[in-house]
Amino acid sequence: MAIEDNILDGLDLSVLDNLTTSPEKKEDQPKAEGAELEVAEEPSIFNPELKIQEVDEIPETKVEELEDKDAIETENTSTDKEEEVSETIEASENEESAEEEGDNPLRIFAEMQRDKGLIDFNDEEFEDNEEWLLDKVQNTIDEKVTEYKDSMPEEIKYLLDNYEAGVNIYDLINASASEQSYESIAEESLESNVSMQKMLVRDLLVKSGWSEERITRKLNRYEDSGVLKEEAEEALASLKEIQKAEKTHLIQKQKEDQKQRIQAHEQWLEDLNDHIGKKEEILPGFALSPKDKTNLYKGITKLDKNGKNEIMRMREKDPEFDLKIAYLATVLKWDFSAFERQSTTKSTRKLANAIKSTKKTGSRPSRGTSKAVNFDTMRKSLR
């Protein structure tokens, strides 16, 4: 069988004239032919149905909306973080404050006393010093004492109040008893009691300074003349007034004396404090620091519950306390240079003995001591 030279001979190839190899060429074809109408094109691999449009710029409104949204989210996030940090710092500070308060032994003790009802204070009133706590304890004691006194009978309360004001309680009891003895006598009881009539007249004349002889003659005259009863009644009234006035004077006088003693004591404390404060030293060669001055002042003026200061307590502990003071004053004449010389001699003696012990024949130097050390110069200086 013979092969033909052209295998496409006999086929109608006119349909291929309208096909193009690229979309660009197909678009240019109608223009080249001058076609006035656009022909609707079928979707193909060169003309997909899904068209993508390119734009030069994104609309501004959308960009602004996105920026505003991002800013709001950033601000909210920042605010939340700041609040979290602030809460964390505040919680940390509260914890530290609580730890500090919890670690304060004085505050713990004060709160324990408050829980037991021994003292009373608010948390913001707390002060971290012993004086504040002692004041609170003293206030509680004063309140309890006042409550106790208020519960006592008026007579006992009267005696306690005057005793605290400096009145001698025994003098006050005697004065009150004398006043009560006259107050308890009724005038009706004098009608037939001649001995009581004479007693009242006698007491009045004694207080007026009469002698016993004159008093006897006076009583006999009153009895003989029949005026003893009237004189006794007048004497009773006078004695009541006199006794009341004497008791009032006694109380006022002893209160005034107590007030003067307190003022004198306060002045003495002030003078003592100023005197110590101006001192640079009391014993020669011993400088006084501010702390030394404070301790010295307290040692003299601060009293314990038994009314004793530190010097009194030291005297009780040391039976030879006064003897040592006498030795310093009479033998040493307050010259403490002897102490310094004696201390130097003892120290020198110890050092010399230590040096001699290292020079013994055949002795081995202690570990860490150089064999080349020469103690001759030091020994000569100690002679």
Side-chain angles (χ1 to χ4, degrees):
M1 180 176 178
I3 297 175
E4 296 181 2
D5 296 334
N6 191 351
I7 63 174
L8 297 178
D9 289 345
L11 295 177
D12 186 4
L13 300 178
S14 61
V15 295
L16 299 175
D17 295 336
N18 295 327
L19 295 176
T20 61
T21 59
S22 65
E24 288 81 0
K25 291 181 179 180
K26 189 166 184 179
E27 289 177 357
D28 295 340
Q29 185 176 359
K31 296 180 180 179
E33 295 176 352
E36 297 179 358
L37 297 175
E38 294 181 0
V39 180
E41 298 179 357
E42 295 290 336
S44 64
I45 59 173
F46 302 107
N47 185 22
E49 186 178 7
L50 180 59
K51 297 181 179 180
I52 299 176
Q53 296 181 353
E54 295 182 0
V55 293
D56 295 336
E57 296 180 359
I58 298 175
E60 295 181 358
T61 55
K62 295 183 179 180
V63 175
E64 292 177 355
E65 291 177 357
L66 292 174
E67 291 178 352
D68 293 340
K69 185 176 181 181
D70 292 340
I72 293 172
E73 292 179 353
T74 303
E75 183 177 355
N76 292 336
T77 303
S78 176
T79 303
D80 293 339
K81 290 182 178 180
E82 290 178 357
E83 292 178 354
E84 291 178 358
V85 172
S86 177
E87 292 176 356
T88 303
I89 294 174
E90 184 177 357
S92 177
E93 291 177 352
N94 292 335
E95 290 178 359
E96 291 177 358
S97 177
E99 290 178 358
E100 291 177 357
E101 294 177 357
D103 294 339
N104 190 333
L106 188 62
R107 187 182 188 93
I108 295 174
F109 178 78
E111 291 176 351
M112 290 174 60
Q113 303 310 306
R114 181 176 62 181
D115 294 339
K116 294 179 181 179
L118 300 179
I119 59 176
D120 184 26
F121 66 94
N122 297 325
D123 291 337
E124 58 273 10
E125 296 176 353
F126 175 78
E127 296 179 10
D128 189 11
N129 60 76
E130 296 179 0
E131 295 296 333
W132 175 86
L133 182 58
L134 293 176
D135 289 341
K136 287 296 180 182
V137 173
Q138 187 61 48
N139 291 338
T140 302
I141 294 174
D142 293 341
E143 291 175 359
K144 297 298 182 183
V145 170
T146 302
E147 292 177 2
Y148 175 75
K149 288 197 303 182
D150 292 340
S151 65
M152 303 295 289
E154 287 298 325
E155 295 81 3
I156 303 299
K157 183 181 177 182
Y158 173 78
L159 292 175
L160 290 175
D161 290 339
N162 283 281
Y163 175 74
E164 291 177 353
V167 180
N168 186 294
I169 193 169
Y170 298 105
D171 295 341
L172 184 59
I173 290 174
N174 291 332
S176 298
S178 299
E179 181 184 15
Q180 186 64 30
S181 65
Y182 294 124
E183 292 289 343
S184 61
I185 298 176
E187 294 183 1
E188 294 81 7
S189 62
L190 297 177
E191 291 292 339
S192 58
N193 196 336
V194 177
S195 61
M196 183 175 290
Q197 294 173 5
K198 290 183 178 181
M199 182 196 71
L200 293 174
V201 174
R202 181 183 296 276
D203 288 348
L204 180 60
L205 294 176
V206 168
K207 288 183 178 295
S208 300
W210 287 46
S211 65
E212 184 62 28
E213 185 179 355
R214 292 182 60 194
I215 291 173
T216 301
R217 290 199 303 267
K218 191 74 169 178
L219 289 175
N220 292 332
R221 255 194 320 268
Y222 284 161
E223 188 176 7
D224 294 339
S225 61
V227 295
L228 181 60
K229 175 179 175 294
E230 288 79 5
E231 292 294 333
E233 291 175 351
E234 291 181 2
L236 177 60
S238 299
L239 287 170
K240 289 180 179 179
E241 293 178 358
I242 291 172
Q243 198 62 42
K244 185 179 294 184
E246 287 181 353
K247 189 177 77 169
T248 301
H249 176 72
L250 171 70
I251 293 173
Q252 291 178 348
K253 178 69 168 56
Q254 294 195 6
K255 284 183 177 180
E256 184 64 28
D257 292 343
Q258 176 70 2
K259 184 178 179 180
Q260 292 179 358
R261 284 193 294 270
I262 293 174
Q263 291 177 349
H265 181 68
E266 291 177 349
Q267 185 64 45
W268 176 77
L269 291 176
E270 183 178 350
D271 294 342
L272 177 63
N273 191 31
D274 292 341
H275 181 70
I276 294 176
K278 294 176 182 178
K279 287 286 186 180
E280 296 297 331
E281 60 181 26
I282 295 178
L283 298 176
F286 294 87
L288 283 177
S289 66
K291 184 177 180 180
D292 294 335
K293 296 177 182 180
T294 301
N295 292 336
L296 179 60
Y297 178 78
K298 289 183 177 180
I300 298 173
T301 61
K302 190 174 182 179
L303 305 179
D304 57 16
K305 61 181 180 179
N306 298 319
K308 299 177 181 179
N309 60 13
E310 187 173 359
I311 298 174
M312 297 176 183
R313 294 191 295 270
M314 292 177 66
R315 180 179 284 111
E316 290 178 350
K317 292 180 181 179
D318 187 357
E320 295 188 345
F321 181 86
D322 292 322
L323 184 61
K324 292 176 181 178
I325 298 298
Y327 176 80
L328 294 175
T330 60
V331 178
L332 296 182
K333 307 297 183 182
W334 304 110
D335 182 11
F336 288 87
S337 58
F339 283 114
E340 184 178 358
R341 291 194 300 270
Q342 185 176 8
S343 176
T344 303
T345 302
K346 288 182 178 179
S347 300
T348 305
R349 194 174 298 137
K350 289 180 180 180
L351 181 59
N353 292 333
I355 294 172
K356 290 178 181 178
S357 64
T358 62
K359 296 296 291 181
K360 291 180 180 179
T361 306
S363 63
R364 182 179 180 182
S366 61
R367 183 176 299 177
T369 304
S370 174
K371 296 182 179 179
V373 176
N374 187 352
F375 292 99
D376 293 338
T377 303
M378 183 178 295
R379 186 180 294 107
K380 291 179 180 178
S381 65
L382 296 175
R383 290 177 181 174

